[in-house]
Amino acid sequence: MSTATTLPGADDAEFEAPGPRPDARADEADGLVYLEAAGVGLALDCRGRRLPRILHWGRALTRVSASDLEELALLLVPATVPNSLDVPAQVAILPEQATGWFGLPGLRGHRDGRQWSPRFDTHQVSCYAGAGAGAGAGGEVVVRSTDAACHLSLEIRIELTASGVLRVRAVLRNTDAEQRYTLDGLVIALPVPNAATELLDLTGRWGRERSPQRRPFSAGTHLRDGRRGRTGSDAAFVLVAGEPGFGFRTGQVWGVHVGWSGNHRTYAERLPTGESVIGGGELLHSGELRLAPGATYESPWVYAAHGDGLDALTARFHDYVRARPQHVRGPRPVVANTWEAVYFDHNLDRLTAQVQLAAEVGVERFVLDDGWFRGRLDDRAGLGDWFVDETRWPQGLHPLVDLVRSHGMQFGLWVEPEMVSPDSDLARAHPDWIIAAGEHRLPPTIRYQQALDLCHPAAYEYVLERLDALVGEYRIAFLKWDHNRDLIDARVHGQTLAVYRLLDELRARHPGLEIESCSSGGARVDLGVLERTDRVWASDCIDGLERQAIQRWTTLLLPPELIGSHVGSARSHTTGRTQSLAFRAGTALFGHFGIEWDLTAATPAELAELRRWVQLYQQFRGWLHSGRTVRVDHPDPALWVHGVVSADAAQALFAMVAMTTAATSQLGHVRIPGLDPAARYRVRPLPPGDDPGTVALSPAPWLSADLVLSGQLLAEVGLSAPPMHPEQLLLLHFTKV
């Protein structure tokens, strides 16, 4: 049975506990709480009538006692200085302007211009154990507060997961019996120490998502607002504050991610008084959300992680994602997608040749992309008419689906259910289903399309019925779910919730159906959409060089098995670069491997080499998709080194990647961290990309030696990097001896 611990200052309101709480789970003393998991410690001050404050979030503290927590709380009380509050304000997880906080308020709203500055004072605090209760298992703290004057109640959930990821959300209720409350915004704030003097977050564009940018963490606000109606190619993704010069393996870092697929806010703020926070939440349009009497607003989860270096932060995020009940299990199938192979040319004979060659090279899932439905000869028409085009497919998709299954492959299909083409039967029949600010004003088109209003009950039911019918008739195993435009003049909050509900309902009707979040490539990649999807399409660009960077930073949050990564044609369709098959396939190997290439244009030698790469992926994918992601801080930017170490450290796969020409003739030693320092490892180049003549200008002698080295030596000294032409990579397999 669930039990709750009520701390001093609580009322008697009932609350349904999320899980059991043994006596030893959290250390408490008069409202002071300490939780610990995976080497991360979280100390909370929930005393009195204030909203909870974080006293410590970072490395786990050793043998924390009740008196330690009391002294820690005292140590953090700031001194009173001239021209300041007589009682210094201390920032809460939801900062309140009424307490004297001069940064971004956690809650912004009003009731027709009144009650715009709430102050929550009476509250109840409950603590619960994490899964596998015991020391170091994490746990959850729930604080329920009220503001009687503003007629609001607030519930804050603070969870330290078993992986060491901290996640926080708030639920706001309008307790006024008569009047609405206009909510303008709600953000979570997490304090970070002043030692965090640098910021890193990501930006980007179509075809170049998740590009890193760094800057000093100085006084003021670094604000990243996403207003595109989806996560966005330019989203901050993960905002990191860290110690000077932090890297993948060095320096303490604190990072935050907003798990929401609509408009959102991520920010870092440092006040002149010295307080520093990072945080975020949903970004609401003016007047978008007005809570009726008794209505509630539930914020998105804000996820946060600490680590010694970005790789440690990444490991905690990956562990959290992999521990979710809905996380994909089992081998991730080799995918063939038809987009860059045939585009809109859906000719059965041409597709038959693609299916046969895909089966020959070892593909396990064949996905038919855009162009299969009524009127879809190009990207200017047909969206919304989700019926198989009878002119090109007189027998429906059954001949193709049957062929795919006869070769032992799963069948997948591309859809874009949230969109509509103005040139479509659906738009002509139901113009009122199109998102618009007014009856006679449509937003500008993007990719010749508009967005469907899924808050409209009839539109929602139409889309659900069509998808349900298609998945059922063709026994579809996988949907590539696209979203090819930003939203303009949209009530994004309701639209996002409707999309979530649509995904949830479709999966409930079809257990086992896998869905990919694709959005002009990688414009909807977040932990909100990944609660109900099984992988993301990281980018529409599959140029191997661009993908090295895109995947490097997408793995900051997501493990490789969730990141679709395909082998394209020798000449990239998006950049025009020409690259070897070894470079393209060696890049795709570190994700959910697939092929997006007109295989009828490949030579027999290329098909044979591609088959070997598929076999290599199939051989290693089990541990590649459960191991630790490692990125090396190499001083020369011409060479990137990254890899995966198996969970038991019995083997590892690393890639040395020549990103550009080097300024020096020698690239020096490359350290290989993450292995068992006490073990010895055999090092060998990995076929089919192991021919020294194809990957190195001047092969290093060790490449042809039977090399056995300790994990410590590899981490501290490393291997001399062979000089390589740009856009070449060398794969190295490390096996414990």
Side-chain angles (χ1 to χ4, degrees):
M1 178 179 293
S2 298
T3 60
T5 298
T6 302
L7 301 184
D11 57 31
D12 295 327
E14 293 183 356
F15 179 74
E16 183 180 351
R21 184 201 180 284
D23 291 339
R25 178 46 254 134
D27 294 314
E28 302 162 11
D30 296 329
L32 296 169
V33 181
Y34 179 73
L35 301 174
E36 183 180 322
V40 174
L42 177 69
L44 294 168
D45 186 349
C46 303
R47 295 175 297 174
R49 296 178 176 273
R50 297 174 297 181
L51 292 181
R53 299 184 302 110
I54 292 178
L55 301 175
H56 171 76
W57 166 42
R59 295 171 182 156
L61 305 175
T62 304
R63 293 187 296 275
V64 177
S65 67
S67 61
D68 289 333
L69 293 175
E70 292 177 347
E71 292 172 356
L72 176 61
L74 179 62
L75 286 171
L76 295 177
V77 175
T80 301
V81 296
N83 199 34
S84 66
L85 297 171
D86 293 337
V87 178
Q90 293 176 273
V91 61
I93 287 179
L94 192 92
E96 297 172 288
Q97 185 174 349
T99 65
W101 174 251
F102 294 109
L104 181 67
L107 176 61
R108 293 177 297 109
H110 62 95
R111 212 181 297 275
D112 294 330
R114 297 176 294 106
Q115 301 174 3
W116 52 269
S117 181
R119 180 167 180 170
F120 295 91
D121 52 11
T122 62
H123 67 262
Q124 169 188 327
V125 183
S126 304
C127 300
Y128 307 95
E140 185 177 23
V141 175
V142 180
V143 179
R144 304 175 75 219
S145 302
T146 59
D147 182 338
C150 289
H151 303 286
L152 297 171
S153 69
L154 180 70
E155 177 181 284
I156 300 178
R157 289 178 171 261
I158 308 158
E159 181 182 357
L160 186 65
T161 69
S163 67
V165 167
L166 171 64
R167 63 178 196 159
V168 185
R169 84 179 331 162
V171 179
L172 180 72
R173 181 184 297 274
N174 177 15
T175 58
D176 193 289
E178 298 178 356
Q179 292 185 312
R180 291 179 177 269
Y181 179 80
T182 300
L183 178 62
D184 291 328
L186 190 155
V187 294
I188 300 300
L190 305 174
V192 295
N194 289 342
T197 60
E198 293 184 16
L199 296 175
L200 177 145
D201 60 6
L202 307 180
T203 183
R205 57 170 176 80
W206 177 83
R208 193 62 168 83
E209 296 86 344
R210 285 169 292 286
S211 299
Q213 57 182 10
R214 291 180 78 135
R215 67 189 64 214
F217 191 178
S218 54
T221 304
H222 176 61
L223 186 65
R224 297 295 308 280
D225 282 352
R227 301 178 183 272
R228 298 181 178 275
R230 52 180 175 172
T231 319
S233 302
D234 58 346
F237 195 53
V238 180
L239 171 63
V240 177
E243 294 178 330
F246 68 84
F248 289 115
R249 310 295 296 183
T250 59
Q252 285 196 84
V253 291
W254 295 261
V256 66
H257 167 80
V258 179
W260 179 246
S261 308
N263 292 343
H264 60 282
R265 166 167 287 176
T266 310
Y267 77 105
E269 189 167 48
R270 175 159 285 167
L271 271 60
T273 47
E275 297 99 330
S276 304
V277 298
I278 58 174
E282 183 180 6
L283 180 65
L284 294 168
H285 287 311
S286 178
E288 182 175 12
L289 199 57
R290 300 185 68 212
L291 298 179
T296 61
Y297 166 76
E298 184 175 69
S299 79
W301 284 108
V302 173
Y303 298 85
H306 166 267
D308 284 288
L310 291 171
D311 278 1
L313 175 145
T314 286
R316 292 189 170 107
F317 276 135
H318 288 191
D319 286 348
Y320 167 77
V321 170
R322 285 169 170 164
R324 301 169 307 152
Q326 75 272 29
H327 188 67
V328 290
R329 307 286 183 235
R332 307 302 294 133
V334 178
V335 175
N337 184 278
T338 65
W339 179 241
E340 288 196 4
V342 303
Y343 289 103
F344 292 104
D345 185 12
H346 282 205
N347 175 283
L348 182 57
D349 291 340
R350 186 176 181 187
L351 287 167
T352 296
Q354 299 292 332
V355 170
Q356 292 171 340
L357 289 172
E360 288 177 16
V361 300
V363 167
E364 298 158 313
R365 173 182 287 165
F366 189 90
V367 180
L368 183 65
D369 211 289
D370 193 359
W372 56 269
F373 47 97
R374 287 179 186 169
R376 192 64 166 175
L377 299 176
D378 53 34
D379 62 359
R380 295 174 181 246
L383 284 178
D385 297 341
W386 301 113
F387 298 87
V388 177
D389 190 300
E390 298 90 341
T391 59
R392 284 180 290 174
W393 300 96
Q395 301 177 62
L397 297 177
H398 292 290
L400 179 66
V401 174
D402 292 344
L403 178 67
V404 168
R405 291 212 176 91
S406 72
H407 285 284
M409 295 184 287
Q410 300 173 351
F411 179 73
L413 191 66
W414 178 94
V415 292
E416 194 174 359
E418 301 158 65
M419 301 299 157
V420 60
S421 300
D423 183 5
S424 67
D425 293 340
L426 183 68
R428 286 184 283 271
H430 299 285
D432 56 313
W433 290 5
I434 299 175
I435 287 179
E439 184 177 351
H440 303 293
R441 193 187 82 187
L442 289 173
T445 56
I446 300 176
R447 204 177 183 236
Y448 313 104
Q449 63 192 55
Q450 296 285 4
L452 278 178
D453 182 1
L454 293 179
C455 296
H456 192 298
Y460 177 93
E461 289 301 326
Y462 166 78
V463 173
L464 177 60
E465 184 277 328
R466 283 287 76 223
L467 294 176
D468 182 33
L470 287 164
V471 174
E473 179 178 357
Y474 295 108
R475 293 180 291 129
I476 293 170
F478 174 85
L479 286 179
K480 179 180 178 180
W481 187 299
D482 216 335
H483 180 287
N484 276 311
R485 65 156 295 154
D486 296 327
L487 301 186
I488 301 172
D489 284 349
R491 296 293 186 180
V492 175
H493 175 78
Q495 181 78 357
T496 305
L497 292 178
V499 172
Y500 285 173
R501 184 162 57 96
L502 182 62
L503 288 162
D504 292 341
E505 177 62 26
L506 189 63
R507 291 179 66 122
R509 295 187 183 188
H510 300 279
L513 173 69
E514 288 194 14
I515 300 175
E516 175 184 69
S517 174
C518 177
S519 186
S520 308
R524 187 153 67 186
V525 178
D526 61 80
L527 292 182
V529 77
L530 274 165
E531 287 294 308
R532 57 252 322 149
T533 57
D534 304 282
R535 83 169 202 168
V536 300
W537 186 227
S539 177
D540 279 341
C541 179
I542 52 176
D543 173 310
L545 188 68
E546 299 295 331
R547 270 304 186 108
Q548 284 286 334
I550 292 166
Q551 291 169 199
R552 183 182 187 87
W553 294 103
T554 304
T555 56
L556 189 62
L557 179 71
L558 302 183
E561 64 268 26
L562 295 184
I563 304 170
S565 186
H566 293 178
V567 180
S569 59
R571 187 176 187 273
S572 169
H573 289 210
T574 52
T575 68
R577 289 191 185 101
T578 299
Q579 295 158 346
S580 69
L581 178 52
F583 187 76
R584 286 140 50 210
T587 299
L589 193 64
F590 290 90
H592 181 183
F593 189 91
I595 301 163
E596 198 162 328
W597 179 12
D598 181 1
L599 294 179
T600 64
T603 67
E606 287 176 321
L607 291 173
E609 184 181 350
L610 181 60
R611 171 64 177 164
R612 291 196 295 272
W613 280 106
V614 169
Q615 291 172 335
L616 188 68
Y617 168 77
Q618 291 169 331
Q619 177 185 352
F620 287 168
R621 61 186 167 187
W623 63 267
L624 279 177
H625 293 165
S626 59
R628 283 278 181 258
T629 294
V630 176
R631 291 154 298 194
V632 178
D633 294 307
H634 189 67
D636 194 324
L639 185 70
W640 283 12
V641 182
H642 65 90
V644 176
V645 179
S646 65
D648 60 1
Q651 57 184 319
L653 179 65
F654 276 80
M656 292 186 182
V657 187
M659 299 295 289
T660 184
T661 55
T664 58
S665 59
Q666 298 289 340
L667 289 170
H669 283 198
V670 175
R671 295 176 178 176
I672 306 295
L675 301 171
D676 179 354
R680 296 179 66 79
Y681 291 85
R682 174 164 281 108
V683 186
R684 65 182 181 92
L686 201 64
D690 63 340
D691 181 353
T694 65
V695 299
L697 291 169
S698 176
W702 62 265
L703 281 170
S704 56
D706 184 17
L707 205 62
V708 178
L709 301 168
S710 72
Q712 182 186 36
L713 191 150
L714 287 164
E716 297 297 330
V717 179
L719 305 165
S720 62
M724 293 184 284
H725 283 305
E727 298 169 52
Q728 291 184 328
L729 60 78
L730 174 65
L731 290 180
L732 298 175
H733 188 205
F734 298 80
T735 52
K736 186 182 288 188
V737 177

